[in-house]
Amino acid sequence: MASLRKISLLTLTILTMTLMSACGGQGDNKGADSKSGDGKKVIKAGTSVLFEAPLKAAKEDFEKISGYELEIKVFDDAVATDIALAEGDIDVNFYQHEPYLNAFNESRGTNLVRYGKKVLASDYGLYSSKIKSLDELKDGFTMSIPNDASNRGIALKFLQDQGFIKIKENVKFPTLVDIIENKRDIKFVEMDRLSLVKSLEEVDICAMPSIYMFQSGKDPKSAIVSGYDSDELAIIITLTEDNKNVEWAKHLEEALTNENSRKFIQETYKGAVKPLF
């Protein structure tokens, strides 16, 4: 009997140690608790090719003031960037404006949030490889615009400001069916925003942010008409609701909005993008 009791106690001890070890192992694999080869905690940041440069420029300052390492992942697809954040594959993203964020949350039922200051904004304009003046446009001309809810809405509001169309009032994300006046009989061609520059070969004119032209190696200041009196194009830091009070987010905001970042934006984009701080 004594031998059986010893065996039972030994078995219980082994099971207890195994369970404790398993629980400890699970606690080491959460989001920003991942570590680099030198033992530093890693913050994973998602972005697009359009806004990779400012994030890279802020990386060194962020790492100095925070003690974290910043790992930057560039996504080809805007939706995938927000999905990755919502699912915890990345800790933060920096690539979108607030209307896009709001549209994503509304369509996906997510609760991603803006953090801190608006960092930078692109100019907006009408571009063409076929004409030099709006006077050259004949009724029924073709115009390319973005096909996602927020950027399409921004394009239509810009066109209304320029007197091309009128859209219904109080529509959060206007679409083509919300156009109530189109006197020039504009033929709209909707497409992915990253295809807009290429569309200049096919359409008469295109409505888009100037950073798209810059990124494609074309002159962002060549717009026939430019200027959008709105902060809707401001690029923001985005977090999950659960992470909105984390300390490292404050350090990332500081790095993206300090004097080094201001100088980088002004010298790199030469007016196509402006700092908002």
Side-chain angles (χ1 to χ4, degrees):
M1 290 293 291
S3 296
L4 285 173
R5 279 198 295 271
K6 286 181 180 179
I7 292 170
S8 297
L9 286 171
L10 179 61
T11 301
L12 179 61
T13 301
I14 293 171
L15 284 170
T16 302
M17 291 176 67
T18 301
L19 286 170
M20 289 175 66
S21 175
C23 291
Q26 288 172 357
D28 291 338
N29 292 314
K30 290 184 180 179
D33 286 340
S34 59
K35 294 183 179 181
S36 63
D38 58 7
K40 286 186 178 180
K41 290 184 177 180
V42 177
I43 300 300
K44 298 178 181 178
T47 188
S48 70
V49 67
L50 294 173
F51 299 103
E52 176 187 9
L55 197 55
K56 280 187 173 180
K59 175 179 165 69
E60 183 177 349
D61 285 347
F62 169 75
E63 293 179 343
K64 282 181 180 178
I65 61 179
S66 72
Y68 286 83
E69 180 178 327
L70 187 66
E71 180 182 307
I72 299 171
K73 182 174 181 180
V74 180
F75 289 80
D76 295 328
D77 177 72
V79 173
T81 317
D82 275 343
I83 290 175
L85 179 58
E87 294 183 349
D89 296 328
I90 57 176
D91 303 298
V92 60
N93 69 41
F94 177 74
Y95 80 100
Q96 66 191 322
H97 46 60
E98 210 156 5
Y100 187 91
L101 172 62
N102 293 337
F104 180 86
N105 279 334
E106 189 172 299
S107 65
R108 300 275 177 162
T110 49
N111 197 21
L112 305 181
V113 297
R114 166 190 160 190
Y115 180 88
K117 301 173 185 174
K118 295 181 176 181
V119 179
L120 52 82
S122 173
D123 196 4
Y124 204 90
L126 296 178
Y127 293 88
S128 178
S129 62
K130 298 181 179 181
I131 62 168
K132 301 294 183 183
S133 167
L134 294 181
D135 294 335
E136 299 176 51
L137 289 172
K138 298 179 180 179
D139 288 355
F141 62 87
T142 54
M143 177 185 291
S144 54
I145 61 172
N147 63 0
D148 67 272
S150 61
N151 285 297
R152 177 178 52 228
I154 289 171
L156 294 179
K157 291 174 186 176
F158 174 75
L159 293 172
Q160 178 170 256
D161 289 349
Q162 298 299 323
F164 283 98
I165 60 173
K166 287 184 181 180
I167 53 180
K168 295 176 184 175
E169 295 182 0
N170 303 318
V171 179
K172 192 173 183 180
F173 301 114
T175 67
L176 297 184
V177 299
D178 297 308
I179 297 174
I180 56 177
E181 185 177 293
N182 180 10
K183 291 182 177 179
R184 300 294 305 274
D185 191 28
I186 303 169
K187 302 296 189 295
F188 290 101
V189 182
E190 298 181 82
M191 62 183 62
D192 181 82
R193 60 197 179 95
L194 297 181
S195 299
L196 290 170
V197 174
K198 189 176 180 180
S199 76
L200 292 175
E201 301 171 7
E202 305 295 333
V203 300
D204 296 310
I205 199 165
C206 174
M208 62 180 161
S210 58
I211 192 171
Y212 296 176
M213 293 288 284
F214 176 87
Q215 189 65 36
S216 298
K218 299 183 181 295
D219 183 5
K221 295 183 178 180
S222 64
I224 299 171
V225 176
S226 65
Y228 185 46
D229 187 20
S230 172
D231 65 354
E232 286 187 314
L233 291 169
I235 302 303
I236 58 173
I237 298 166
T238 304
L239 300 169
T240 60
E241 176 73 23
D242 291 341
N243 267 353
K244 66 180 181 181
N245 294 317
V246 292
E247 185 68 16
W248 57 258
K250 178 182 177 181
H251 298 317
L252 182 59
E253 179 191 21
E254 289 174 2
L256 281 166
T257 59
N258 64 17
E259 196 55 37
N260 288 338
S261 286
R262 181 193 303 276
K263 186 177 179 181
F264 175 82
I265 292 167
Q266 291 172 335
E267 292 181 354
T268 301
Y269 296 104
K270 303 186 185 303
V273 173
K274 62 181 180 180
L276 298 178
F277 51 90

